[in-house]
């Protein structure tokens, strides 16, 4: 038993690998280096040749395709049966997934088939390997050292960087894994796929985010930060109290009970930096914080800090950016 197998997820509708899958692949490559093994990927579905081709452009030993008409749409039973056969054939020591709703649905059952558990929502992988996951809303980091293989692990969105994913010098070979699947093995019938409304904001894909917190005081002041976001071509996000108050929609909330983001730049305006907020944005490449309290915890994770009144700084900054663009 050796090697790392990353099971990727894709959007059936447009046949694209999800961003969190690319992050899981980056985690898989890092783990493979640590354990001195090869990293491969597996993709499930029907008509997945283009996805396999996309995967083969990454630094991978092999790309496995699990193709079957009964995998055309996701079902937990279908995925568990198919992946059980694939894991038995490929014999990897580590099986990695992105920590998505779909993975939460089927991966624990898959792990149980091998008398294992899923080490879920992992934020870091250290030598050993040791998998780190958070407990008590991020107050504690716990180290998990698997006692046996195969070891099943899901990685938190934003914990690994998709842009650190290594490309292949020569395309990885693609191998079809024959899957035996019968209709009666699938106990659920998928209904129409969930379609997000056109207005839903995918903060996870944003490159630049301006995020506003309770320091803004009133809903009437939100346009101040909105103008800054527009000047920067950024998405507007918020801490939980702002969304709880209905000043911005819930889908703009960043944190443990909101979205997890990993932009190139995260500008936190009037946000204290509570742990529940930090867990949602700690994957950002650069963090700038504006806060009038010099000892605010947000400054501990900020690359650049401005200790001052946002009502003075934000309009001046917006003006300067607008002027620079002219
Ligand atoms: P505050 O903590 O009130 O901070 C406001 C900051 O603004 C202060 O640091 C202050 O110095 C600064 N400020 C004030 N006036 C100015 C000014 N004029 N100029 C500059 N700075 C100024 N929170 C989240 O964000 N996301 C989550 O997903 C989330 N999930 C949670 C889940 C649970 C189970 C629990 C218990 C809590 C959760 N929270 C979450 C809430 C979290 O604990 C904090 O209460 C919240 O993040 C605080 O938001 P804030 O930083 O905007 O407000």
């Amino acid at each position: 038993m050796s090697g790392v197998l990353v099971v990727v997820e894709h959007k059936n509708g447009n046949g694209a690998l999800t961003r969190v899958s690319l992050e899981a692949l980056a985690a898989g490559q890092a783990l493979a280096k640590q354990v001195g093994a090869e990293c491969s990927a597996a993709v499930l579905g029907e008509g997945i040749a283009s996805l396999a081709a996309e995967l083969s452009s990454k630094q991978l030993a092999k790309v496995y395709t699990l193709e079957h008409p009964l995998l055309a749409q996701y079902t937990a039973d279908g995925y568990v049966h198919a992946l059980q056969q694939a894991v038995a054939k490929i014999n990897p020591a580590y099986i990695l997934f992105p920590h998505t709703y779909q993975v939460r649905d089927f991966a624990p059952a898959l792990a149980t088939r091998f008398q294992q558990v899923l080490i879920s929502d992992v934020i870091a992988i250290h030598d050993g390997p040791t998998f780190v996951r958070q407990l008590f809303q991020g107050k504690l980091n716990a180290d998990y050292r698997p006692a046996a293989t195969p070891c099943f692990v899901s990685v938190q969105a934003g914990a690994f960087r998709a842009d650190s994913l290594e490309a292949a010098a020569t395309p990885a070979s693609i191998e079809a894994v024959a899957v035996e699947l019968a209709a009666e093995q699938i106990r659920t019938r998928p209904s129409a796929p969930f379609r997000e409304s056109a207005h839903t904001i995918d903060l996870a894909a944003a490159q630049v985010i301006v995020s506003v917190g309770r320091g803004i005081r009133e809903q009437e002041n939100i346009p101040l930060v909105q103008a800054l976001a527009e000047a920067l071509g950024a998405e507007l996000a918020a801490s939980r109290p702002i969304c709880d108050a209905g000043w911005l929609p819930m889908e703009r909330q960043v944190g443990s009970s909101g979205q997890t983001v990993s932009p190139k730049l995260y500008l936190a305006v009037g946000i204290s930096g509570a742990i529940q907020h930090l867990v949602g944005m700690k994957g950002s490449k650069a963090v700038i914080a504006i806060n009038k309290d010099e000892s605010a915890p947000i400054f501990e994770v900020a690359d650049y800090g401005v200790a001052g009144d946002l009502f003075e700084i934000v309009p001046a900054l917006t003006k300067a950016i607008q002027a620079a663009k002219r």
Side-chain angles (χ1 to χ4, degrees):
M1 201 173 272
S2 71
V4 177
L5 181 70
V6 182
V7 180
V8 297
E9 210 169 282
H10 52 95
K11 291 180 183 145
N12 281 337
N14 60 13
L17 291 174
T18 57
R19 182 192 161 96
V20 282
S21 292
L22 301 177
E23 293 174 4
L25 284 166
Q29 286 181 342
L31 172 61
K33 274 191 194 143
Q34 284 178 19
V35 298
E38 290 185 322
C39 182
S40 297
V43 56
L44 296 81
E46 199 190 22
I48 48 176
S50 63
L51 288 166
E54 188 187 338
L55 281 168
S56 73
S57 69
K58 316 296 177 203
Q59 180 60 47
L60 295 166
K62 233 169 215 175
V63 175
Y64 295 99
T65 54
L66 282 66
E67 213 158 354
H68 197 284
L70 290 171
L71 295 173
Q73 271 185 301
Y74 166 77
T75 60
D77 284 334
Y79 269 48
V80 169
H81 283 294
L83 281 168
Q84 187 180 2
Q85 294 166 47
V87 170
K89 272 180 207 161
I90 301 164
N91 212 19
Y94 302 94
I95 300 102
L96 259 59
F97 309 89
H99 189 70
T100 62
Y101 287 115
Q102 190 169 295
V103 164
R104 279 178 240 192
D105 190 39
F106 77 87
L110 175 66
T112 308
R113 298 280 173 105
F114 293 88
Q115 283 77 52
Q116 299 293 329
V117 294
L118 175 71
I119 304 175
S120 62
D121 218 7
V122 160
I123 58 160
I125 304 173
H126 300 312
D127 274 341
T130 302
F131 300 99
V132 184
R133 61 188 300 271
Q134 294 184 312
L135 304 176
F136 303 117
Q137 292 291 341
K139 286 196 170 60
L140 276 184
N141 278 0
D143 289 347
Y144 288 72
R145 241 173 254 120
T149 54
C151 172
F152 296 83
V153 174
S154 68
V155 295
Q156 190 175 93
F160 295 85
R161 296 204 63 92
D163 56 14
S164 70
L165 185 54
E166 288 174 34
T170 51
S173 65
I174 300 172
E175 188 178 315
V177 177
V179 174
E180 283 176 27
L181 210 51
E184 55 273 18
Q185 286 176 302
I186 296 175
R187 295 166 296 174
T188 51
R189 204 160 357 108
S191 54
F194 172 70
R195 280 190 195 285
E196 290 167 350
S197 82
H199 302 295
T200 298
I201 304 123
D202 186 8
L203 289 179
Q207 296 289 308
V208 183
I209 291 178
V210 173
S211 197
V212 57
R214 201 145 47 184
I216 198 72
R217 279 194 227 137
E218 290 171 8
Q219 185 170 19
E220 289 68 51
N221 297 330
I222 296 279
L224 268 186
V225 273
Q226 207 154 14
L228 177 59
E230 273 164 27
L232 282 169
E235 279 290 354
L236 185 61
S239 65
R240 180 163 161 173
I242 301 299
C243 300
D244 278 351
W247 297 356
L248 283 174
M250 285 297 184
E251 58 200 358
R252 292 199 184 267
Q253 182 183 318
V254 169
S256 61
S257 49
Q259 293 206 46
T260 303
V261 299
S262 51
K264 285 192 176 145
L265 174 65
Y266 189 86
L267 208 162
V269 181
I271 292 178
S272 60
I275 185 68
Q276 293 88 356
H277 189 80
L278 298 186
V279 297
M281 45 67 76
K282 66 182 176 352
S284 306
K285 213 158 191 180
V287 176
I288 302 177
I290 302 173
N291 196 305
K292 69 174 185 187
D293 174 8
E294 275 176 34
S295 59
I298 191 74
F299 287 129
E300 283 166 32
V301 297
D303 300 283
Y304 303 95
V306 187
D309 185 351
L310 73 89
F311 293 99
E312 286 171 23
I313 296 158
V314 171
L317 193 56
T318 309
K319 222 168 143 188
I321 293 163
Q322 284 164 343
K325 278 166 53 179
R326 265 185 230 124

